[in-house]
Amino acid sequence: MTPYLDPKSHLASLLEQALLQVAADSMPLIELDRPKQASHGDYACNVAMQLSKAMKRNPRELAQAVIAALPASTLLEKAEIAGPGFINLFLKPAAWQGLAAHALEQGAAFGGGNVGRGEKVQIEFVSANPTGPLHVGHGRGAAFGASLANVLKLAGYDVQREYYVNDAGRQMDILALSTWLRYLELCGELVAFPGNAYQGDYVKSMAAAIHALHQTRYQRTAIEVAQGVPDAGEDAEGHLDALIANAKRLLGPDYAYIHGYALEEQLGDTRNDLTEFGVTFDTWFSEKTLHESGLIDRAVEQMKQHGHVYEQNGALWFRSTAFGDEKDRVVRRENGIYTYFAADIAYHINKFERGFSRVLDVWGADHHGYIPRVKGALSAAGLDADRLTVALVQFAVLYRNGQKASMSTRSGQYVTLRELRGEVGNDAARFFYVLRKSEQHLDFDLDLAKSQSNDNPVYYIQYAHARICSVMNSWGGVERDLLDADSGLLREPQELALLRRLAEFPETVNAAARELSPHVIAYYLKDLAADLHGLYVACRFLDVDEPLKQARLLLIAATRRVLRDGLGVLGVSAPEKM
RNA sequence: GCCCCCGUAGCUCAGUGGAUAGAGCAUCCCCCUCCUAAGGGGAGGGUCACACGUUCGAUUCGUGUCGGGGGCACCA
């Protein structure tokens, strides 16, 4: 079997040799792209038009000169001048025929692009506060981040996935308080439950569990709890903070138990939910450890040494305006407590110190104003902020009965990721989440997603895979034996179209990695499935002459492999039967 | 007020500094004696929001305008 030669790089090298003769002085970048129309060849090159101005020559004339200088090649059928000066290159079928065996032989390595070069990359995503179940908004970040991590891995990066656990902030205190108040209700204490505390039933469940385990051990009287607390109607947040302060004072060391219980419970739930969704992490990084280990002090000190921190009104400020932010930011409040921002600075400095050449954060689009601040802080600490890339994911807006549904965790009125998965299935959920590019708002129509509709694109792709499996199972042979098939017999238009499509997979993976856009994989798979279905209807596989049968089975075996790997990147299963 | 995203077919959305701008859904017409019809083939449907600029060439890049969504805490 002749070794497979990538047609694109082959053509690029032919053109380069030709250009050395025609335009050695002003070698342009050689661009080869796939024309939309088959009549324009397999690849088109616009180099003549780019050169025409510098060389003061008519582009069509230049193109003619380039074509005349092209070295002989067994793979090139012909080269034509077209339109204003395109060079359209037509390849012989032989250029593609070897692809099937090549792809099958390479296996998982076939999709492996080359942009990554083993570079260490960290991707942090989801990182939702562990204060309640994940909702459908978190689901998009989870699906996007996990798919992107897979894309990067396939493209040759050394990827680490991390979840930042906000276990130290006010939100956790509110959850602990909410749980305790529900617990007090079970103890028979008449305490008003604040409207801005966590309303969800899971809070009551945790309270009931604590009550069952410890009975009235954490009971305090309603009067003590409400002591000195401002009226909720006048100052709702102050009301909450005063209740938290009372809880800490009244419970003493026991407060840590309630807090810890709620945290473990919710984090465990989140972890299970994500694992079931096919989303896993290598590390779970605790915000609390930043406070305890003194990393925040160190981070602020580091910025101070570079002269970017000052004191005003008793608070410590970071001069972020010096780094393009619109106003300076507080890092340590008047009350001596560090802000969330300060912890985040320490966290990002820590990420850099862990040896990643690139750090990727996946954030909700509402955090966009936060980017200059964090980047500025990294610069202020003397680090290269360009190593941090923030991928913003727009909101997934949920529609129920044609109406927007609320997704606030505190109000308790949201559709959980778990509910969504249960209703539409993991495959459809994962696929739909990444079908839109991340900058695009995602309208998730629950009713539509719930209805088991047949026009579902994920089924279309899975069906292509199942169809191949069906043929392969009827055949019953060993896949590896097909590698010796005579692929020169693959001449039908549908066969060649499929071969060309398969050849695009590695460059598609590279593009998806470069653009941080897993959705291009989804669109590629739709195209690949369409080519397979086209072939399936046009050609028979099993009841043809043995050599042709082998060649066609080789082709669909390679296609199956790419379908499976591609779906795997998106976290979608590739069923053998449907 | 400032900042971010979006504006492409009736709908939901891809896409590209190039040659006739695509897909799915919806509408209409055709294709199972045959390895899965959850499939295939065809038809209709467009001022790529608008204006100006950069360019040999702009739907793509830049600026502005209009429209939709989101964000601008000593919250996290």
Side-chain angles (χ1 to χ4, degrees), chain A residues 226-241:
Chain A
Q227 198 171 32
V229 173
D231 186 59
E234 279 164 29
D235 180 8
E237 296 302 319
H239 176 78
L240 218 47
D241 286 332

Side-chain angles (χ1 to χ4, degrees), chain A residues 29 85 104 109 133 138 179 217 234 272 279 282 287 292 295 323 349 354 368 377 379 407 489 527-528:
Chain A
L29 194 69
L104 195 58
H138 299 126
T179 307
R217 173 171 170 182
E234 279 164 29
N272 288 341
V279 177
D282 302 304
E287 180 192 354
E292 291 166 355
L295 279 177
F323 299 89
I349 290 175
R354 279 187 272 160
H368 88 266
S379 302
M407 282 197 305
L489 298 170
D527 290 339
L528 179 62

Side-chain angles (χ1 to χ4, degrees), chain A residues 501-519:
Chain A
R501 188 75 69 190
L502 288 173
E504 286 174 19
F505 187 54
E507 53 191 273
T508 303
V509 171
N510 279 344
R514 196 175 51 243
E515 308 292 329
L516 309 179
S517 297
H519 78 275

Side-chain angles (χ1 to χ4, degrees), chain A residues 391-417:
Chain A
L392 291 179
V393 178
Q394 293 290 328
F395 281 162
V397 183
L398 199 60
Y399 286 87
R400 188 189 280 288
N401 302 324
Q403 289 204 325
K404 226 184 221 181
S406 163
M407 282 197 305
S408 155
T409 312
R410 271 212 243 174
S411 70
Q413 291 181 346
Y414 49 80
V415 176
T416 64
L417 174 61

Side-chain angles (χ1 to χ4, degrees), chain A residues 139-202:
Chain A
R140 187 175 191 189
F144 174 80
S147 296
L148 180 56
N150 290 340
V151 164
L152 292 172
K153 211 166 187 174
L154 198 55
Y157 288 93
D158 179 7
V159 184
Q160 191 216 49
R161 309 147 192 248
E162 181 155 297
Y163 190 115
Y164 182 52
V165 182
N166 298 123
D167 50 7
R170 178 168 178 261
Q171 295 305 320
M172 267 312 299
D173 280 328
I174 296 174
L175 179 70
L177 171 75
S178 305
T179 307
W180 188 51
L181 292 178
R182 290 301 191 200
Y183 164 87
L184 291 178
E185 284 173 8
L186 294 173
C187 296
E189 294 294 337
L190 293 171
V191 210
F193 194 82
N196 51 353
Y198 288 101
Q199 307 289 324
D201 286 340
Y202 61 93

Side-chain angles (χ1 to χ4, degrees), chain A residues 132-134 263-274 418:
Chain A
L134 296 173
L263 172 66
E264 283 312 310
E265 202 61 25
Q266 293 314 310
L267 203 54
D269 180 69
T270 293
R271 200 190 302 244
N272 288 341
D273 199 6
L274 289 171
R418 198 173 260 122

Side-chain angles (χ1 to χ4, degrees), chain A residues 534-549:
Chain A
L535 173 69
Y536 191 94
V537 168
C539 297
R540 306 285 303 162
F541 300 96
L542 298 176
D543 40 16
V544 295
D545 290 348
E546 187 63 24
L548 182 57
K549 174 167 126 186

Side-chain angles (χ1 to χ4, degrees), chain A residues 32 70 75 96 127 134 170 175 214 236 273 288 308 330 338 372 398 406 428 459 499:
Chain A
L32 280 169
L70 280 174
L75 299 183
W96 304 106
S127 300
L134 296 173
R170 178 168 178 261
L175 179 70
H214 303 284
D273 199 6
K288 212 187 281 178
H308 302 297
V330 171
Y338 284 118
L398 199 60
S406 163
Y459 292 148
L499 284 164

